[in-house]
Amino acid sequence: MKHMTWFGALAAGLLLSGCSPKESTTTGPSSSGADKQMVEVAAFQGGYGIDFYGAAAQEYATKNNVEVNVWGNPRVWEQLRPRFIGGDPPDLVFPGWGMDHWALVAEDQLEPLDKYLDGPAPEGEGTWRDTFEPSILALGKQDGKQWILPFYFNIQGWWYDPGVFAKNGWVPPKTWDELLALCEKIKASGIAPMTFQGKYPYYMVEGMLLPWVMSIGGKPAADALQNLEPGAWKSPAILRAAQMIDELNKKGYFMEGSVALSHTESQSAFLNGKAAMIPCGTWLYSEMKSNMPANAKIEFFVPPVIPGGQGEPTAIIIGIEPWMVPSKSTAKEHAVGIFKHMTSLSKAKQFVEEKGTLTAIKGSDEAKLPEVLIKPKEAFKASKAVWSVEFKYWYPAMYTEIQNALTAMLNGQLDPAGFVDRCEKEAEKARNDASLVKHKVP
């Protein structure tokens, strides 16, 4: 059944996407390398590009007498699907968000990486494992084995313009009550208190709904949602979080029309002063810096917590970008070697400085950080409860339905009770689907 599920899904994806050509290819020198082993690296080309990966791979290739072919595009997973089906995957893979890496694990498509992690660090003393932030590395572990390796990671939070807030005497809210009071002041000033990326509801799922579930019900409530425990999506914590979003909406605290906006449209509205706050990950600055008004600044803060809630007030949601070595790679040692070079402290610091994001490597945040990363770094260091939304990878159809239900509530088609009912029905559907591999939060 597992093989039917996995390859059936891949085959369906192949029929939809076709075998489109590779884009943005970076290839190592080949004029004198006919007798050298080729190492192929396929990488998602998002806001941070793939130039860093190509340069790092070429550095490794020069030192180790191999050829490298580093390529990628914004929908790289569409080219990877037929490669996995055909048993000829690249040697090192970063597929982005479009491929279920845990399904790859279930089908024995990935190489366990513990023996490499327990080897020497790329620089200095200790093991390679020791160089990673433990809470981030743990996100790639299942059944006692490390399948996925992180590189950069994102932190979910809220953003505001400190200049605008200082000018108006506003202070970023730390609690729900402070948020309500602030929103009323902002609305009275003629600015929308908040906007959001309505076309992509996961921004609000992970920026509002789930942080408030954690704040209200603590880790048990958040874990229960992800573990598909019966009734978890109708718990008091999820209902209260939905009611909070509904209250903000009905009080007119969201910018009109936000539900129809793309990520860049809503973020542009925020940057141009049409809304005072927005939920987003730490990629916000990198994604929008070319469109930022000259006088605009942005600063991060942790979503307001609920006084009296059972959750840890410093809790934050992070997300990793998964790198992996296919089990059918023909150059596993060199694939690992390239990624090991990329994750050396010196290279990780370089990535932080060049790309403006944080990495999973200890000490890399001691690089010359962009100003917008200082607050996220402080939040990560101070957090006593770092967690990740994993069910979006485990049960993607369910995650899509949760997003659709949230949009329906924001459009007034569902009340909070109807929202949680719809979510619980979808969770029950996933729970009873024998073809789905079930997972548990560690």
Side-chain angles (χ1 to χ4, degrees):
M1 286 298 294
K2 286 197 300 181
H3 284 279
M4 182 180 295
T5 300
W6 167 234
F7 286 109
L10 287 183
L14 179 57
L15 288 172
L16 289 171
S17 65
C19 295
S20 54
K22 302 170 187 176
E23 301 174 13
S24 303
T25 303
T26 303
T27 308
S30 57
S31 59
S32 62
D35 58 343
K36 295 180 180 179
Q37 184 172 16
M38 173 62 74
V39 187
E40 184 183 3
V41 181
F44 169 67
Q45 185 180 12
Y48 303 125
I50 62 171
D51 57 303
F52 179 90
Y53 315 138
Q58 191 55 57
E59 290 168 1
Y60 175 88
T62 300
K63 292 179 180 178
N64 292 274
N65 197 35
V66 296
E67 290 286 317
V68 292
N69 177 19
V70 181
W71 63 273
N73 60 68
R75 299 184 67 82
V76 68
W77 56 83
E78 293 180 349
Q79 286 78 59
L80 291 175
R81 286 180 177 131
R83 296 288 298 276
F84 275 101
I85 290 174
D88 179 36
D91 301 296
L92 179 62
V93 174
F94 166 31
W97 299 100
M99 182 170 281
D100 182 357
H101 45 273
W102 294 118
L104 290 170
V105 172
E107 294 303 327
D108 300 321
Q109 293 277 355
L110 298 185
E111 185 75 8
L113 301 168
D114 296 274
K115 68 177 182 180
Y116 302 107
L117 286 167
D118 292 332
E123 293 175 340
E125 299 179 352
T127 66
W128 188 23
R129 186 188 302 276
D130 294 336
T131 68
F132 288 89
E133 290 283 355
S135 61
I136 302 177
L137 187 63
L139 297 177
K141 196 169 186 177
Q142 182 174 281
D143 298 329
K145 294 181 180 180
Q146 191 78 37
W147 304 97
I148 310 297
L149 292 179
F151 185 44
Y152 64 86
F153 72 98
N154 300 302
I155 300 176
Q156 293 285 352
W158 290 15
W159 298 83
Y160 71 105
D161 187 322
V164 172
F165 268 51
K167 178 182 177 181
N168 289 278
W170 301 332
V171 177
K174 294 182 179 180
T175 68
W176 169 247
D177 292 338
E178 290 178 6
L179 174 64
L180 292 178
L182 175 62
C183 284
E184 196 60 31
K185 292 178 182 178
I186 295 173
K187 184 180 178 183
S189 76
I191 303 173
M194 300 193 72
T195 186
F196 57 90
Q197 304 85 342
K199 285 186 177 179
Y200 305 101
Y202 66 84
Y203 283 87
M204 185 169 281
V205 171
E206 298 181 29
M208 289 190 186
L209 182 74
L210 295 181
W212 285 339
V213 170
M214 172 68 89
S215 180
I216 296 164
K219 192 173 187 296
D223 287 354
L225 297 178
Q226 305 215 73
N227 292 342
L228 298 182
E229 293 182 14
W233 281 92
K234 293 182 68 174
S235 71
I238 188 70
L239 177 60
R240 178 64 183 127
Q243 290 170 337
M244 291 162 65
I245 293 173
D246 188 55
E247 182 176 351
L248 294 175
N249 192 30
K250 288 179 176 175
K251 287 186 173 179
Y253 293 156
F254 294 135
M255 188 180 77
E256 187 175 352
S258 290
V259 75
L261 298 181
S262 70
H263 58 308
T264 53
E265 290 170 337
S266 60
Q267 289 158 195
S268 292
F270 161 68
L271 292 171
N272 284 284
K274 295 180 180 179
M277 295 175 286
I278 190 170
C280 195
T282 42
W283 61 83
L284 176 61
Y285 176 74
S286 178
E287 187 170 65
M288 301 300 295
K289 62 182 178 182
S290 61
N291 297 315
M292 285 185 67
N295 60 341
K297 288 188 176 182
I298 59 173
E299 194 161 286
F300 172 96
F301 67 103
V302 175
V305 300
I306 292 76
Q310 299 177 38
E312 167 56 48
T314 64
I316 55 171
I317 292 177
I318 67 168
I320 65 171
E321 299 290 341
W323 287 77
M324 56 204 77
V325 177
S327 57
K328 293 183 180 179
S329 162
T330 58
K332 294 185 180 73
E333 296 293 329
H334 288 303
V336 171
I338 289 172
F339 193 69
K340 196 170 185 179
H341 174 60
M342 276 175 48
T343 57
S344 63
L345 181 56
S346 58
K347 296 301 293 183
K349 284 184 175 181
Q350 179 187 339
F351 190 86
V352 170
E353 292 180 1
E354 289 183 3
K355 303 301 182 180
T357 192
L358 299 168
T359 82
I361 305 305
K362 293 177 183 176
S364 60
D365 58 4
E366 295 171 4
K368 186 178 180 181
L369 283 180
E371 189 176 354
V372 295
L373 287 183
I374 293 175
K375 291 294 185 180
K377 170 192 171 180
E378 291 174 350
F380 178 76
K381 293 292 186 184
S383 179
K384 298 177 182 178
V386 174
W387 66 295
S388 175
V389 181
E390 292 296 296
F391 77 90
K392 65 183 177 184
Y393 304 112
W394 299 340
Y395 318 114
M398 170 184 158
Y399 188 60
T400 297
E401 179 61 13
I402 300 303
Q403 295 177 71
N404 293 340
L406 183 56
T407 298
M409 187 177 73
L410 290 165
N411 279 328
Q413 298 165 321
L414 290 175
D415 61 11
F419 168 77
V420 299
D421 282 344
R422 183 167 166 179
C423 292
E424 179 61 26
K425 286 178 182 178
E426 189 63 23
E428 183 178 6
K429 181 180 176 181
R431 195 162 49 242
N432 295 332
D433 187 344
S435 70
L436 289 177
V437 177
K438 303 305 190 295
H439 303 274
K440 296 289 184 182
V441 177

